[in-house]
Amino acid sequence: MKTASQQVAPKESEESSAIVGSALSTTRYRTLRMVAGPLVIVDRIIEVAYDETVEIKLSDGTFRHGKVLEVNGDTAIVQVFEGTSGIDVKQSTVRFLGEAAKMEVSTTLLGRVLNGTGTPIDKGAPLDGTQRRDINGAPINPFMRIQPSDFIETGISAIDGLNVLVRGQKLPIFTASGLPANELAALIVQQARVLSGEEFAVVFGAMGITNREASYFVKKFEESGALERVVLFMNLANDPTVERILTPRCALTVAEYLAFDCDMQVLVVLSDMTNYCEALREISTAREEVPGRRGYPGYLYTDLSTIYERAGRIKGSKGSITQLPILTMPDDDITHPIPDLTGYITEGQIVLSRALHRRGLFPPIDVLPCLSRLMNSGIGEGKTREDHSALANQLYAAYAHGNELRQLVAIVGEEALSSDDQKYLKFADEFEARYINQGEHGRSLEETLWLGWDLLTLLPPQDLTRVKKYVEKYGIHPEAEATQEGE
Amino acid sequence: MERQTQASFHNVRGSIVSIVGPVVGVEHMAGVRMYDIVRVGNAGLMGEVIKLRDDLATIQVYEETAGLRAGEPVVATGRPLTVELGPGLLSSIFDGIQRPLEQLSAQETEAFIRRGEQISPLDRTKLWDFSPLHSVGDTVSAGAVLGTVEEFALLHKILVPPHVPTQKIAEIVPAGQYSLDDAIAKLEDGTELKLSHHWPVREPRPYAQKLDPSIPFVTGMRILDTLFPIALGGNAIIPGGFGTGKTVTQQSLAKWSDVDVIVYVGCGERGNEMTEVLTEFPALEDPRSSNPLMQRTVLVANTSNMPVAAREASIYVGVTIAEYYRDMGYSVAMMADSTSRWGEALREVSGRLEEMPGEEGYPAYLATRLAAFYERSGRVIPLSATVCEVEGEQKPSQTHLSDVSGACEGSVTMVGAVSPAGGDMSEPITQNSLRVAGGFWALDTDLAHKRHFPAINWTKSYTLFMDQVVGWYRDNVATDWPQKRTSAMGILQKEIELNEIVQLVGPDALPDSEKLTLEIARMLREDFLQQFAFDEVDAYCTIKKQYDLLSIILLYADESREALAKGATLSSILEGPIRGKIASLKTTELETFKHDVKQLTSDVRAHMSQLEVE
């Protein structure tokens, strides 16, 4: 049986007319056959590895990069990150670099601005390349994970009170065009703190967002003095689409290093995942693959999971990765494949509502479809407060009922409601105006919890079945009681 | 004989010609068999033959293929994908191809899973206390119990592998300690038997006879046990959009179901969810044996970001392990979370093969595969039950030493979660599963938004096992159980009709009798159907308690209707603390519950009759 290297030798000499150079890694192929969309097809290649990085030299001497998407006999399909304009089939040459795409990792990246493929675009020093890691990462062994259970205070009542974020969670923000998701994300980044008081390092991956949006984030980071704790990856709307495929992976590779090698608490903000998925669809279409729903590839779920699942905590490290991906629901449709598949992978979601936004509420969080799956492990006695869970459930149930009554009122009028139901209606209004709506001002967890109790006083007391155990202890705010007595 | 076949296939050695995602094309593979396992590339990645054409074989690779090159060798092993079945399975966590994740992390001392690792699924060094049940000269047939070892609290029966011809035992070891690699018996034809054996995952394990499922699968969840029970050996699906509580429901079932062994397959779901099971289960107590729950559980974890082909395999690995314990005469429940991700794995591989797609890109054979999978559930008389009387009504899972030689019956109950795209249940996986599954527990987004948990919709859900299990309820719970169930369903249905009227004319327009019905329906929903999975007391509810709870609400309904008919006002009926007391019954500890229920029964009667006097 011949070994692989023995088989190579004769082939190489056969092909030598088509290639320049002798050693395999420096081999430059001139056998570009086809350019289609973001793809190029290279013929007569020898022993190219799947997923290997590719360097294309154009006739004008500039370089493009790509990766091998498919190997078929002696043909390779290569996806070009920086776009294919200017590539020709006659003079451009292709070199296979023999390894998967890698990203430099180091703590010196904090405070730097990089492009979507991880090359610095600020005026700082070039990266020294001492530690480079495969950007695809590897799945975390479930046995080695630690269940996320540390409460993060974001200062936002709708999150802290009702949909708790914990360290190591992936909690996306589902937004729609024109809604202030970026403002919300920036606010969370500014205010987030764990109860132990440790500060977060932030890895920000911009994918196809506009220059205006990007500079908003930079300004906000600057204002809060957080910029030296932030690594910025910038793939803007006018940057090559396909580059976006790399951006979240580079960002998460850095985040994994900071969290698991350097024991830091890392918050990863990815904006906008919808643009990422569009890029994925573009490549899939160019490859003429069988489409799944709405033209997105059948492997969209798997692909997204390789991004979202890179959040968490692991045994043997004090660090954590908490993800806050932002995604725009096309046409406000939560059943669209992108939010749908995301919701199936992430540990809950924060959903913004156009109706609340129009009424001038900030943050316009529609709490009913919101969810935090890890809430129960992050709250309760010893973590937040014993009544947290019961209180959240009671508020939810009451608001859902009040909201339902609104539809009824639209048909039969408010007078037709029983006096109890009218209380619920009032509760729903007050809940939105006072609990959800808080402006840019952050609230401590205590404030949020007391506000919840305060609102419950609007309801008929016998209906408070879910908080019955705590009514005596927490039913009336100590300060409120004092003022009442004073009167 | 098997060994010779293997040897001849060892010569098949091809080389890679194409790579696209998890699918690899290999030439010079003539002689390899469909669904055989091959080792791919220099890294020796595990793969399975899924298509043959001339001497070109198409392989789905169970590990990440990045870095694989055309021209690298592929070696056939001559064996299909098998799992190793033997003592040590319980409390383990495996990946989709039965590699033990705990050992994988110990060996690599790191948190990430690398490729090409080959680790034995079961601990080879551990010694097990084997006590033989047969002696030299005894005739044994396939599936017979050779002896036993103790695996935690469970008596693990060492079975003669199926397909071994009936013959006499030539040698058998005395009672003592043996490892998995020690031969414990030799048959006349020279076959050596060990504590464990391998079985191909895609082949259902044989049994003697399939039985009618007539015993309910008791879950401790009120809406399931009382309204939509399925039978031991039956199957059900739990479809629901994200956030409706599929996983919480599955985990509750895994925790509290009244079965001997749980096989929990996390198929393409979140890593943290498997971690949750791993941290929670060892600390929880099995209500039946008061051992840690983990000791009756086998976990198969292929999280969403692990290789997609192994996700396809994980379901089969799980069900084969379940069948193995069934063959020992145990009742086994298998949770598959989620079958949609399994279907998507099929779609992904099919797409890479450029097969003609069916609906929504799924392959045309989706329905066949789903049906074949769900049909591996069932209540059976295992091959080992040669000496047992066949009686339909025998209790399952008898584990007394006296009848270890052959348990009468075993069962595999399957509960598959389905994650319909966009929450739309008309999609292919839900629809095809519905055609084979006997229980349909539909999760509802609206209920979840209202924090009504478990968010199982009582109008859409159904069970096809009602006729079969109703006898058991009559005999073991109460003779009027079927009537009470029907009344409860009637009230809930009536509520929906009334609510439609309320939507048009407002609640004030309803007569008092119907307002009362609405109130009773609310009590049924909130005080009976709602069950908080994280509540210490209410997470598990015994069948008897379920019946008592339902009875008191229905009693309240009857008495109050009567009072109303006799002229009492609605507000006087609803006055007083009784409804509040009924509401807190479900979270009352069992001992005080019995007393409280009695007290409340007389309270309800007293309250209503006092109204009548007035």
Side-chain angles (χ1 to χ4, degrees):
Chain A
M1 189 67 218
K2 285 190 287 185
T3 66
S5 63
Q6 281 170 325
Q7 287 179 336
V8 181
K11 274 193 192 165
E12 199 175 5
S13 55
E14 274 171 36
E15 302 277 325
S16 60
S17 60
I19 52 176
V20 184
S22 53
L24 204 63
S25 60
T26 56
T27 303
R28 294 208 155 273
Y29 291 93
R30 274 205 207 127
T31 49
L32 245 162
R33 169 159 61 92
M34 194 172 130
V35 185
L39 306 179
V40 299
I41 295 175
V42 192
D43 275 344
R44 291 153 79 190
I45 47 143
I46 302 160
E47 292 208 327
V48 163
Y50 176 66
D51 209 33
E52 178 173 2
T53 313
V54 177
E55 178 192 273
I56 301 166
K57 191 178 178 188
L58 271 57
S59 52
D60 61 1
T62 56
F63 290 96
R64 300 279 165 85
H65 295 87
K67 74 167 188 178
V68 177
L69 279 188
E70 184 173 338
V71 179
N72 200 343
D74 62 355
T75 306
I77 299 178
V78 175
Q79 159 195 331
V80 185
F81 299 132
E82 297 98 334
T84 46
S85 67
I87 298 182
D88 69 331
V89 291
K90 212 169 172 192
Q91 289 171 29
S92 300
T93 59
V94 180
R95 189 162 74 103
F96 294 88
L97 301 179
E99 57 169 31
K102 291 199 168 161
M103 172 70 210
E104 160 108 26
V105 293
S106 150
T107 46
T108 59
L109 284 172
L110 289 166
R112 300 293 304 266
V113 184
L114 313 162
N115 72 4
T117 55
T119 314
I121 47 173
D122 54 7
K123 296 194 175 87
L127 306 176
D128 58 6
T130 41
Q131 272 237 58
R132 299 172 69 240
R133 298 229 170 132
D134 187 338
I135 63 160
N136 292 314
I140 300 177
N141 187 336
F143 187 79
M144 292 299 281
R145 279 180 186 268
I146 304 175
Q147 175 75 358
S149 60
D150 302 313
F151 176 77
I152 298 177
E153 190 181 281
T154 63
I156 293 159
S157 294
I159 298 176
D160 291 352
L162 302 173
N163 296 286
V164 164
L165 176 69
V166 297
R167 225 158 47 143
Q169 185 174 16
K170 36 194 183 291
L171 189 66
I173 299 173
F174 287 7
T175 180
S177 50
L179 299 184
N182 292 337
E183 286 78 353
L184 178 61
L187 205 59
I188 295 176
V189 169
Q190 269 175 13
Q191 298 177 355
R193 61 176 188 96
V194 273
L195 291 181
S196 63
E198 242 177 303
E199 280 200 324
F200 280 95
V202 179
V203 177
F204 184 84
M207 291 164 285
I209 62 175
T210 59
N211 196 40
R212 185 179 49 76
E213 289 169 302
S215 55
Y216 172 80
F217 275 105
V218 174
K219 204 177 91 211
K220 282 285 165 188
F221 293 149
E222 255 170 7
E223 274 173 19
S224 59
L227 208 54
E228 61 271 24
R229 289 186 285 121
V230 181
V231 189
L232 286 163
F233 286 85
M234 291 288 184
N235 169 279
L236 299 184
N238 55 346
D239 287 332
T241 317
V242 184
E243 198 178 282
R244 267 160 229 171
I245 304 291
L246 296 185
T247 311
R249 297 193 160 81
C250 292
L252 285 161
T253 306
V254 173
E256 276 172 2
Y257 173 78
L258 294 177
F260 303 141
D261 289 47
C262 311
D263 289 339
M264 295 168 93
Q265 311 305 327
V266 186
L267 198 60
V268 180
V269 181
L270 299 170
S271 178
D272 179 321
M273 287 306 290
T274 303
N275 295 334
Y276 170 85
C277 296
E278 301 285 335
L280 208 63
R281 176 163 72 174
E282 190 178 326
I283 295 161
S284 171
T285 316
R287 287 176 71 184
E288 297 172 9
E289 288 173 336
V290 178
R293 280 176 74 208
R294 301 221 190 163
Y296 291 95
Y299 49 80
L300 182 63
Y301 176 83
T302 309
D303 191 278
L304 283 174
S305 75
T306 60
I307 294 172
Y308 296 139
E309 278 288 323
R310 290 171 80 174
R313 296 169 61 200
I314 58 172
K315 289 178 191 166
S317 162
K318 291 195 201 77
S320 65
I321 296 181
T322 309
Q323 276 191 29
L324 273 182
I326 298 170
L327 69 85
T328 305
M329 297 181 283
D331 196 25
D332 298 15
D333 177 11
I334 199 169
T335 67
H336 184 281
I338 299 170
D340 189 49
L341 295 179
T342 298
Y344 276 121
I345 306 166
T346 53
E347 281 137 358
Q349 66 278 336
I350 300 294
V351 185
L352 302 190
S353 144
R354 197 175 291 284
L356 293 180
H357 180 60
R358 278 199 195 124
R359 280 162 37 199
L361 271 60
F362 181 84
I365 297 176
D366 182 5
V367 294
L368 292 180
C370 288
L371 174 73
S372 166
R373 289 167 193 273
L374 300 178
M375 174 148 173
N376 278 309
S377 62
I379 61 170
E381 214 174 340
K383 287 169 179 158
T384 56
R385 214 169 77 178
E386 51 178 348
D387 58 325
H388 198 156
S389 164
L391 180 62
N393 277 329
Q394 186 72 65
L395 288 171
Y396 252 114
Y399 179 59
H401 185 55
N403 213 24
E404 227 174 40
L405 289 171
R406 282 181 180 162
Q407 295 161 18
L408 186 58
V409 168
I411 303 166
V412 298
E414 205 169 327
E415 308 73 46
L417 293 186
S418 67
S419 64
D420 276 5
D421 279 350
Q422 286 180 5
K423 286 179 183 166
Y424 274 96
L425 208 58
K426 175 132 192 325
F427 170 84
D429 293 340
E430 289 284 308
F431 178 79
E432 285 173 3
R434 289 166 57 196
Y435 195 90
I436 304 287
N437 184 28
Q438 63 180 93
E440 300 256 326
H441 162 71
R443 280 191 199 132
S444 75
L445 175 67
E446 281 282 298
E447 286 177 82
T448 297
L449 292 175
W450 282 122
L451 181 56
W453 278 106
D454 210 20
L455 286 167
L456 288 184
T457 56
L458 294 170
L459 297 174
Q462 74 274 13
D463 284 8
L464 302 181
T465 50
R466 292 167 195 245
V467 288
K468 218 160 73 189
K469 265 202 279 188
Y470 306 106
V471 169
E472 234 165 76
K473 191 166 172 192
Y474 297 102
I476 298 169
H477 193 293
E479 285 167 31
E481 203 171 15
T483 47
Q484 269 169 12
E485 277 167 17
E487 285 164 8
Chain B
M1 198 181 81
E2 204 192 336
R3 212 156 293 168
Q4 286 170 0
T5 351
Q6 275 181 31
S8 65
F9 282 103
H10 259 298
N11 299 330
V12 178
R13 211 180 150 91
S15 69
I16 298 178
V17 288
S18 68
I19 311 149
V20 43
V23 175
V24 169
V26 187
E27 58 181 7
H28 311 309
M29 289 295 277
V32 78
R33 289 179 302 194
M34 193 71 172
Y35 291 120
D36 268 5
I37 290 295
V38 293
R39 292 279 168 190
V40 179
N42 298 327
L45 309 179
M46 206 165 144
E48 186 181 33
V49 180
I50 52 169
K51 191 173 165 185
L52 287 170
R53 192 169 152 192
D54 300 331
D55 84 341
L56 194 75
T58 307
I59 316 283
Q60 64 171 348
V61 183
Y62 292 131
E63 294 177 80
E64 177 56 50
T65 50
L68 218 54
R69 289 165 194 280
E72 284 191 28
V74 173
V75 184
T77 62
R79 272 216 319 215
L81 179 65
T82 59
V83 284
E84 186 176 18
L85 301 166
L89 287 168
L90 294 182
S91 88
S92 294
I93 174 166
F94 300 109
D95 74 355
I97 44 177
Q98 216 204 3
R99 292 184 304 184
L101 286 171
E102 185 175 353
Q103 279 69 27
L104 215 57
S105 68
Q107 191 164 336
E108 301 172 32
T109 58
E110 72 152 32
F112 299 93
I113 297 176
R114 303 288 175 208
R115 299 180 301 157
E117 289 290 338
Q118 291 181 44
I119 302 185
S120 159
L122 302 174
D123 188 348
R124 307 230 80 84
T125 53
K126 187 174 161 74
L127 294 177
W128 297 92
D129 266 319
F130 173 72
S131 18
L133 283 175
H134 288 281
S135 41
V136 174
D138 287 1
T139 304
V140 290
S141 54
V145 181
L146 211 54
T148 59
V149 302
E150 271 180 31
E151 188 180 13
F152 301 116
L154 186 115
L155 201 63
H156 189 115
K157 297 162 193 171
I158 305 301
L159 306 174
V160 176
H163 293 350
V164 169
T166 305
Q167 58 194 300
K168 287 200 172 86
I169 296 175
E171 289 167 34
I172 187 160
V173 294
Q177 294 202 314
Y178 302 95
S179 77
L180 291 181
D181 291 325
D182 295 328
I184 51 160
K186 205 168 188 177
L187 300 179
E188 273 186 330
D189 69 357
T191 312
E192 264 187 3
L193 300 181
K194 294 179 177 172
L195 290 178
S196 71
H197 65 269
H198 288 265
W199 186 263
V201 297
R202 294 187 196 276
E203 189 180 331
R205 285 175 66 89
Y207 48 83
Q209 191 195 330
K210 217 159 198 170
L211 297 171
D212 242 11
S214 60
I215 301 163
F217 169 65
V218 176
T219 65
M221 283 167 77
R222 284 186 290 272
I223 185 158
L224 301 185
D225 289 347
T226 302
L227 297 188
F228 309 108
I230 62 164
L232 273 182
N235 45 35
I237 62 168
I238 313 183
F242 59 83
T244 49
K246 284 185 299 297
T247 302
V248 176
T249 309
Q250 289 268 33
Q251 287 188 359
S252 293
L253 290 175
K255 282 176 197 164
W256 311 121
S257 292
D258 194 13
V259 290
D260 300 303
V261 175
I262 295 281
V263 180
Y264 192 101
V265 183
C267 175
E269 291 286 308
R270 303 175 186 89
N272 276 335
E273 275 167 9
M274 296 318 288
T275 315
E276 194 179 332
V277 175
L278 278 174
T279 32
E280 222 176 82
F281 276 35
L284 286 171
E285 208 174 73
D286 179 358
R288 294 152 50 100
S289 66
S290 65
N291 291 315
L293 268 182
M294 199 62 204
Q295 296 187 355
R296 67 161 193 180
T297 309
V298 184
L299 292 177
V300 179
N302 182 274
T303 60
S304 53
N305 56 340
M306 290 188 187
V308 69
R311 190 193 301 168
E312 198 264 333
S314 65
I315 287 269
Y316 293 105
V317 168
V319 71
T320 310
I321 293 172
E323 284 176 340
Y324 174 62
Y325 281 98
R326 173 202 73 189
D327 290 351
M328 292 178 215
Y330 293 117
S331 55
V332 186
M334 171 168 162
M335 316 291 154
D337 185 16
S338 142
T339 56
S340 293
R341 306 297 162 226
W342 172 74
E344 279 165 15
L346 277 184
R347 173 167 76 180
E348 188 170 335
V349 172
S350 163
R352 306 277 197 190
L353 290 173
E354 295 176 3
E355 290 173 340
M356 188 72 86
E359 216 178 328
E360 285 190 24
Y362 287 102
Y365 46 78
L366 175 74
T368 326
R369 296 276 175 93
L370 269 170
F373 166 68
Y374 279 110
E375 274 308 288
R376 286 176 77 168
S377 63
R379 177 173 164 232
V380 305
I381 300 176
L383 292 175
S384 56
T386 43
V387 290
C388 207
E389 291 284 320
V390 182
E391 272 291 323
E393 285 315 305
Q394 217 129 13
K395 281 212 102 180
S397 64
Q398 289 167 348
T399 55
H400 312 295
L401 264 168
S402 54
D403 57 23
V404 284
S405 55
C408 299
E409 58 173 71
S411 64
V412 174
T413 310
M414 278 185 192
V415 179
V418 182
S419 322
D424 170 16
M425 307 233 180
S426 67
E427 57 91 41
I429 304 240
T430 315
Q431 286 307 314
N432 284 313
S433 303
L434 271 179
R435 282 159 47 190
V436 281
F440 177 61
W441 299 332
L443 292 171
D444 189 301
T445 317
D446 284 341
L447 288 176
H449 286 178
K450 288 182 205 155
R451 297 304 190 258
H452 174 111
F453 287 117
I456 295 169
N457 183 309
W458 47 91
T459 47
K460 286 184 196 149
S461 303
Y462 63 77
T463 172
L464 300 178
F465 293 101
M466 208 55 215
D467 292 344
Q468 280 135 317
V469 297
V470 74
W472 185 92
Y473 279 96
R474 246 191 231 120
D475 299 344
N476 292 277
V477 188
T479 41
D480 63 348
W481 183 87
Q483 287 86 337
K484 289 206 163 146
R485 177 187 179 268
T486 314
S487 324
M489 289 291 275
I491 294 169
L492 290 169
Q493 182 57 41
K494 184 79 187 167
E495 182 192 27
I496 291 165
E497 291 162 19
L498 290 177
N499 272 337
E500 280 171 13
I501 301 173
V502 169
Q503 288 290 337
L504 293 176
V505 297
D508 272 355
L510 291 183
D512 278 356
S513 65
E514 297 192 330
K515 279 185 192 154
L516 184 63
T517 305
L518 280 181
E519 175 55 23
I520 289 158
R522 188 198 59 78
M523 286 168 74
L524 274 178
R525 277 190 285 111
E526 290 181 9
D527 308 337
F528 186 74
L529 295 183
Q530 278 185 16
Q531 194 174 356
F532 191 46
F534 303 100
D535 188 279
E536 266 171 47
V537 178
D538 202 33
Y540 176 77
C541 187
T542 63
I543 290 268
K544 183 73 176 71
K545 185 175 175 183
Q546 299 185 17
Y547 173 76
D548 287 345
L549 266 175
L550 185 62
S551 298
I552 188 121
I553 295 172
L554 292 178
L555 175 81
Y556 185 89
D558 291 344
E559 295 280 328
S560 56
R561 268 191 213 124
E562 206 173 307
L564 193 67
K566 289 190 177 159
T569 61
L570 185 62
S571 55
S572 65
I573 289 174
L574 299 179
E575 209 170 40
I578 287 185
R579 283 181 304 150
K581 282 187 183 162
I582 293 180
S584 53
L585 271 180
K586 63 179 180 181
T587 49
T588 312
E589 296 267 8
L590 213 50
E591 289 92 59
T592 33
F593 172 80
K594 281 176 195 152
H595 167 262
D596 287 4
V597 128
K598 229 180 238 164
Q599 180 64 42
L600 262 173
T601 309
S602 51
D603 283 359
V604 170
R605 292 214 166 99
H607 173 71
M608 299 297 175
S609 56
Q610 165 235 331
L611 291 175
E612 285 160 25
V613 172
E614 283 168 5

